[in-house]
Amino acid sequence: MTAPRFLVPEVLAVGQTIPLPPACSHHARRVLRLRAQDRLVLFDGRGNEFEAFLVPDPLGGARCFATITRGAAVDREARLRITIVQALSAQEKMDWLVEKAVELGARRIILAAAARSVVRLSAARRERRADRWQDIAAAACSQCGRNELPRIEIADDLGAALRAAQDSSARWVLDPSARSGLGRASGDSITCAVGPEGGFTAEELALAHALGYAGANLGRRTLRTETAALAAICALLALHGEFS
């Protein structure tokens, strides 16, 4: 049985005995029913992975502690650094998209409301959603074996989101009417912008083009927004040899 993995975003070292974060402790004890001496894996979100085993709370409480026995930098990242600029959609779609995009290897996800987005976030809701999506990303890393925690961001608007990813060596904006599809690009970083349920407006596409985003389609079928993002990630990884 594979040892369960937990994100512990702090400096870790072999020989330490540390308390697990409260959510991890609850999951280990109440959900997985782990016991003292059971093996587990910790990762710090910065590329390091540690073998450990569970120990009782030295104070006799209910919190779980772990003793670290071995550690190393373990790289399971995709060779291609992919950023997704995603127009906001319904929460359940965004939850699913963030989880699967992280599993597939996206390094950064920037979310923003577009003209046709059905979701608008107040400042308070924006902060809560950002925390939720970062937690979903951490859980996805735990499941798939990634040791670097991707960045989940919410931009003020679509223009800010597009500009935030301008440092990529190649940039695409998905557009069903584009004459060509995604292609292999030079460099090791690519940004792909994905519209909401109704797609980007002509003005938004013009803005993306002005910022250096080339239009690309995903074939002759129109995909849902959450499907399009994941299809684009898979296509780009395949084009750049990730699955070879």
Side-chain angles (χ1 to χ4, degrees), residues 27-228:
H27 190 72
R29 181 179 293 275
R30 301 296 182 186
V31 179
L32 299 178
R33 305 291 184 182
L34 298 182
R35 299 180 179 181
Q37 305 303 312
D38 281 348
R39 293 176 56 251
L40 59 155
V41 174
L42 310 179
F43 65 103
D44 61 8
R46 297 181 295 277
N48 302 302
E49 182 177 278
F50 302 83
E51 295 180 14
F53 62 90
L54 212 61
V55 296
D57 185 338
L59 300 179
R63 193 167 182 182
C64 292
F65 282 67
T67 296
I68 299 171
T69 58
R70 184 182 303 176
V74 180
D75 183 5
R76 298 192 184 97
E77 296 301 300
R79 292 185 293 273
L80 183 66
R81 302 179 64 88
I82 296 178
T83 295
I84 295 295
V85 173
Q86 173 68 47
L88 284 172
S89 183
Q91 178 177 327
E92 63 274 12
K93 292 184 179 181
M94 292 295 94
D95 289 356
W96 190 81
L97 185 151
V98 168
E99 179 184 72
K100 302 309 175 188
V102 170
E103 286 182 26
L104 288 169
R107 300 286 187 101
R108 187 183 183 193
I109 302 172
I110 308 173
L111 306 168
R116 293 171 177 156
S117 290
V118 297
V119 172
R120 304 286 169 174
L121 298 178
S122 64
R125 289 179 67 205
R126 175 172 162 172
E127 184 175 349
R128 290 196 299 270
R129 290 286 179 88
D131 290 342
R132 173 180 175 80
W133 286 323
Q134 198 65 65
D135 287 343
I136 289 174
C141 285
S142 296
Q143 185 277 324
C144 73
R146 293 182 66 176
N147 290 318
E148 293 186 25
L149 185 63
R151 295 160 58 188
I152 313 297
E153 307 165 34
I154 303 179
D156 291 334
D157 53 46
L158 180 63
L162 293 170
R163 292 184 181 93
Q166 275 189 291
D167 57 347
S168 292
S169 53
R171 296 176 295 283
W172 304 93
V173 57
L174 296 188
D175 176 8
S177 66
R179 294 184 178 182
S180 59
L182 296 169
R184 184 179 173 86
S186 59
D188 64 353
S189 60
I190 290 181
T191 293
C192 189
V194 185
E197 286 91 338
F200 287 128
T201 64
E203 293 77 14
E204 289 170 331
L205 289 171
L207 172 61
H209 295 322
L211 293 173
Y213 288 75
N217 65 59
L218 290 176
R220 291 177 289 179
R221 294 162 301 285
T222 300
L223 305 181
R224 291 180 180 271
T225 179
E226 69 275 19
T227 309

